[in-house]
Amino acid sequence: MRKKIVGSSWKMHINTKSEVDTLATEIVEGVKNIHNIDMFLIPSFPLIDHLANILGNSNIAWGAQNMAFVDYGAYTGEVPAPTLAELGCTFIELGHAERRANFNETDHYVNKKVKLCLNYKMTPLVCVGETKAEKDDGVGKVRVKTQVLWTLNGIRFEDVDKIIFAYEPVWAIGQTEGANADYVEDMHQFIRDVIASEVGNDIAQAVRIIYGGSVKLESAFELISKKNIDGLFTGRFALTAKNYIAIAALVSKHVQEKEGN
Ligand code: PGA
């Protein structure tokens, strides 16, 4: 059974230690009795250590929004894997649409980062998703398939289910409404099929695929009820503790009712 996930990247919205204090302290308290799902929070690089001190031994993991594609060397301004590992990061977000669009992040570099991340025993959280133009041109699945295949390029079979895919259609990020649950389920099934075609169905069934893009409480239940949607990756909606806690509680309750744990 794939453990469900509720995670949030704070992008560049939570920018000072005192903002982290307010948000994280309340979240820790609000979700302290939830143990049947995985939870994570991802701040900007310089705030990771501060957040880690607050999350400590809680049931919430932390991570980073990006990572350098090499671990040592003359790469001014980059943040390397060994540093993130030492900071206790579990989840490393790679290839987010904003990085692909604004920082020239390509599938090739995402693949290098995935390998490095696995070498340092951290979990790559690889964002894939088609743009509006690709969707309108009928090549959305082609784009997503390319991203998934690039992600898996050169990855050992035994490491594939350590990767988490975040399906984030670019056109659904930062909107009033996200993608509808049927559309997302179809894409998640497609992603799983692509993985299966590379490494077989057993491994593909173990890979977690979460959805991100304008997730809110109203859409959370329908999304999480779908067979291939293994979690929710929240952005703006979960920038208040109340909202993060509400989504985590909803997913946890759903798991409890469905699986009895
Ligand atoms: P959003 O961000 O929920 O604010 O659309 C989602 C994301 O980019 O992961």
Side-chain angles (χ1 to χ4, degrees):
M1 190 53 78
R2 300 184 297 266
K3 195 169 184 185
K4 296 250 190 293
I5 305 170
V6 173
S8 188
S9 165
W10 292 342
K11 304 194 182 185
M12 223 172 68
H13 295 306
I14 304 294
N15 298 342
T16 64
K17 287 183 187 174
S18 73
E19 287 167 43
V20 173
D21 287 341
T22 314
L23 185 53
T25 311
E26 214 181 307
I27 290 177
V28 168
E29 178 60 24
V31 302
K32 68 176 182 218
N33 295 322
I34 296 179
H35 297 287
N36 58 354
I37 62 171
D38 284 334
M39 293 177 282
F40 65 79
L41 298 173
I42 304 188
S44 64
F45 286 130
L47 293 168
I48 293 175
D49 199 32
H50 190 70
L51 176 65
N53 284 327
I54 298 171
L55 299 183
N57 292 324
S58 75
N59 47 354
I60 310 171
W62 57 91
Q65 298 176 13
N66 182 30
M67 192 187 81
F69 67 91
V70 288
D71 51 359
Y72 284 86
Y75 292 91
T76 302
E78 287 293 291
V79 178
T83 311
L84 297 176
E86 193 171 74
L87 287 167
C89 289
T90 305
F91 296 92
I92 308 296
E93 188 179 1
L94 300 173
H96 186 276
E98 287 147 18
R99 295 212 55 84
R100 291 178 190 266
N102 303 324
F103 303 97
N104 300 322
E105 188 130 324
T106 61
D107 293 334
H108 177 233
Y109 283 104
V110 170
N111 175 251
K112 282 177 179 285
K113 293 178 183 194
V114 169
K115 288 174 180 155
L116 204 51
C117 193
L118 290 166
N119 284 348
Y120 281 88
K121 312 264 177 274
M122 298 182 289
T123 300
L125 178 59
V126 182
C127 303
V128 298
E130 76 284 11
T131 62
K132 174 149 185 351
E134 287 160 348
K135 177 173 179 271
D136 293 348
D137 288 348
V139 292
K141 282 187 171 164
V142 176
R143 180 68 192 116
V144 170
K145 180 175 181 179
T146 306
Q147 291 172 326
V148 173
L149 292 178
W150 261 108
T151 300
L152 298 177
N153 177 49
I155 304 297
R156 288 190 303 259
F157 273 37
E158 65 264 32
D159 283 341
V160 170
D161 66 2
K162 295 178 187 147
I163 299 170
I164 296 173
F165 285 91
Y167 172 58
E168 303 212 333
V170 183
W171 49 270
I173 297 172
Q175 306 300 312
T176 323
E177 299 294 327
N180 83 53
D182 288 334
Y183 184 92
V184 176
E185 169 63 11
D186 180 59
M187 289 304 272
H188 282 218
Q189 177 71 66
F190 175 73
I191 291 169
R192 204 175 298 291
D193 290 346
V194 173
I195 300 169
S197 71
E198 287 298 291
V199 297
N201 195 43
D202 284 356
I203 296 176
Q205 287 302 328
V207 175
R208 293 187 288 177
I209 307 169
I210 66 176
Y211 169 74
S214 305
V215 170
K216 40 191 182 175
L217 197 57
E218 295 90 310
S219 55
F221 184 76
E222 204 187 346
L223 286 163
I224 206 68
S225 305
K226 299 287 182 191
K227 194 159 90 346
N228 285 290
I229 303 181
D230 303 313
L232 301 172
F233 198 6
T234 56
R236 287 156 304 151
F237 183 77
L239 291 174
T240 67
K242 180 171 150 277
N243 285 353
Y244 183 87
I245 296 163
I247 292 216
L250 180 145
V251 175
S252 168
K253 184 162 174 274
H254 171 73
V255 171
Q256 196 172 22
E257 285 169 2
K258 217 164 150 252
E259 293 164 17
N261 65 17

